[in-house]
Amino acid sequence: MTSRAKRILITGGAGFLGSHLCEVLLRGGHEVICLDNFSTGHESNIAHLLGQPNFELVRHDVTEPIDREVDEIYNLACPASPEYYQTDPIRTMKISLLGAIHILELAQRRGAKVLQASTSEVYGDPDVHPQPETYRGLVNPVGPRACYNEGKRAVESLFMDYRRMYKLPVRIVRIFNTYGPGMHPFDGRVVSTFIRQALSDRAITIFGDGSQTRSFCFRDDLTDGLIRMMGTDREFPGPVNLGNPNEISMSDLAQTICRIVGPTENGQEPPIAYRPLPEDDPRRRCPDISLAKKTLGWEPTVSLEQGLRQTVDWFRSIDFETRRTGSMSEQSDSAGMLKWAGR
Ligand code: NAD
């Protein structure tokens, strides 16, 4: 960890990745400001940090401007799963764009280093495998995922323009599928859905024929990559891919999770139910992490088996229903105060 303690703002700090980043940075001796509007994040993710002297929680919406004295900013605020970001696509685009503008303005005002959590979705449904950062992507700009992937692409462009125009020290990471303890049980993503279904003795739902592949990075590896990227020198803004390059088919993932969870009450494995593939669902996505290895000395260290065991243990320890998160239809009024839709 760094030698000097810093004051670090994490937007989306109550979310899956943000809350773990808060924890790790606090352990490193830093002062952490967690900013969140709790639209997809959950209080229980950060409840254990609330009493710590170096931790501050700010309820705020990034679509409204903010000013704070900070040394570093991790901009993670954005709904991350299709289930959430497609609920109100116009708001998703606003969160990406207005959020990035407010955070970049803050960084410029305070002379802070700023890291943007971008996504592998900037590559769309790629025709190059694995995807290096130089690949420009195959994105449908008018499809149902465009609110998210075009929003993130525009934010990458904004970050680079702040660097070119104002010499702002920016960092861009393209995060590939990440899983682990603290992920949303109801985010509609494959790992959380399979685990929840296997633990509830319900049929495992596979979209398509199950041959499509994905790669999954464990949360702790990803957090380490984010911190390394923030720590690099000014001349390397990225974008850099962070993800696990080991691919697995959806059928194999379902089997692995069923094996880890163990047999159902009647001693059988849960049945598999096949459903049609959603529109614009990528057939394959896998990071080329050569650049991260070379520039950050980073690569994943946690195997899928180890990571899934920890994740299943965490899922066993929680009550799913209390983890249903706030609604994406929550809106800020003109004063930036949140109006809560039913939790
Ligand atoms: P998450 O939904 O758990 O976290 C996002 C957090 O941002 C939540 O706590 C949410 O309440 C908060 N938020 C949303 N809108 C906000 C707003 N307008 N103002 C303030 N806070 C707001 O998702 P995550 O998986 O932790 O993802 C974090 C970031 O990483 C996101 O930017 C996402 O796009 C990116 N990412 C994640 C993955 C992944 O696999 N988890 C993959 C690619 C990119």
Side-chain angles (χ1 to χ4, degrees):
M1 183 51 75
T2 53
S3 49
R4 188 174 71 85
K6 300 195 178 95
R7 178 178 279 198
I8 303 174
L9 174 68
I10 303 172
T11 76
F16 162 48
L17 297 179
S19 55
H20 188 248
L21 184 60
C22 286
E23 258 177 51
V24 174
L25 291 172
L26 280 169
R27 275 205 299 272
H30 299 290
E31 219 177 296
V32 171
I33 304 168
C34 164
L35 179 153
D36 209 291
N37 72 349
F38 294 95
S39 53
T40 59
H42 202 276
E43 288 96 337
S44 52
N45 288 337
I46 44 128
H48 60 297
L49 305 177
L50 286 174
Q52 297 202 21
N54 284 345
F55 182 76
E56 184 187 349
L57 173 64
V58 178
R59 285 179 187 259
H60 184 82
D61 193 306
V62 288
T63 60
E64 300 290 330
I66 179 153
D67 194 17
R68 282 283 165 144
E69 203 175 300
V70 285
D71 303 309
E72 292 180 352
I73 309 169
Y74 290 82
N75 188 31
L76 270 58
C78 186
S81 81
E83 187 90 356
Y84 293 135
Y85 69 64
Q86 289 178 4
T87 306
D88 186 344
I90 297 170
R91 179 154 169 75
T92 299
M93 182 66 90
K94 280 187 185 168
I95 294 170
S96 273
L97 294 183
L98 294 176
I101 289 168
H102 294 144
I103 292 309
L104 285 162
E105 284 173 349
L106 167 64
Q108 193 188 0
R109 209 177 304 123
R110 297 295 180 173
K113 217 188 231 188
V114 56
L115 178 146
Q116 171 63 27
S118 188
T119 169
S120 58
E121 294 226 16
V122 300
Y123 299 123
D125 187 3
D127 50 6
V128 167
H129 293 283
Q131 294 89 54
E133 291 81 354
T134 48
Y135 176 59
R136 305 244 171 117
L138 191 60
V139 175
N140 174 0
V142 293
R145 299 171 91 105
C147 60
Y148 183 71
N149 51 32
E150 292 290 17
K152 293 280 190 180
R153 284 166 71 99
V155 168
E156 288 196 10
S157 142
L158 266 172
F159 266 62
M160 292 308 286
D161 285 335
Y162 267 78
R163 179 173 192 265
R164 282 186 283 260
M165 287 188 71
Y166 305 119
K167 311 266 178 280
L168 195 69
V170 302
R171 303 281 181 273
I172 300 170
V173 296
R174 292 182 178 156
I175 302 172
F176 284 65
N177 263 337
T178 303
Y179 71 100
M183 70 189 308
H184 307 275
F186 294 97
D187 65 2
R189 290 175 156 204
V190 66
V191 171
S192 50
T193 306
F194 284 0
I195 293 178
R196 201 165 37 77
Q197 290 171 330
L199 284 173
S200 328
D201 290 356
R202 297 234 308 277
I204 306 281
T205 318
I206 292 188
F207 293 98
D209 64 3
S211 63
Q212 72 275 32
T213 62
R214 292 287 187 277
S215 58
F216 299 99
C217 185
F218 190 58
R219 177 202 64 179
D220 300 29
D221 281 331
L222 196 276
T223 303
D224 177 45
L226 294 178
I227 293 171
R228 283 178 193 237
M229 182 59 175
M230 184 65 102
T232 56
D233 75 25
R234 197 177 174 105
E235 293 314 312
F236 181 57
V240 64
N241 290 337
L242 293 181
N244 193 316
N246 296 325
E247 290 179 86
I248 183 168
S249 73
M250 294 306 92
S251 300
D252 287 348
L253 179 69
Q255 276 172 17
T256 307
I257 289 176
C258 287
R259 179 172 49 72
I260 290 171
V261 167
T264 63
E265 276 181 5
N266 61 15
Q268 308 283 311
E269 289 220 331
I272 308 265
Y274 291 92
R275 300 267 183 278
L277 267 183
E279 189 182 344
D280 282 350
D281 202 46
R283 287 152 298 181
R284 203 177 157 199
R285 201 183 273 145
C286 178
D288 177 336
I289 58 164
S290 318
L291 187 62
K293 280 186 186 167
K294 192 171 131 211
T295 54
L296 309 177
W298 179 88
E299 64 183 313
T301 58
V302 181
S303 71
L304 185 64
E305 178 85 21
Q306 288 171 322
L308 285 175
R309 284 191 181 281
Q310 284 193 46
T311 311
V312 168
D313 285 348
W314 180 78
F315 268 70
R316 284 192 206 278
S317 74
I318 59 160
D319 174 359
F320 301 150
E321 290 307 320
T322 62
R323 289 271 170 166
R324 284 194 188 273
T325 50
S327 159
M328 270 295 292
S329 62
E330 284 164 5
Q331 300 288 328
S332 299
D333 64 18
S334 55
M337 298 298 289
L338 292 170
K339 293 174 182 161
W340 297 98
R343 264 286 156 87

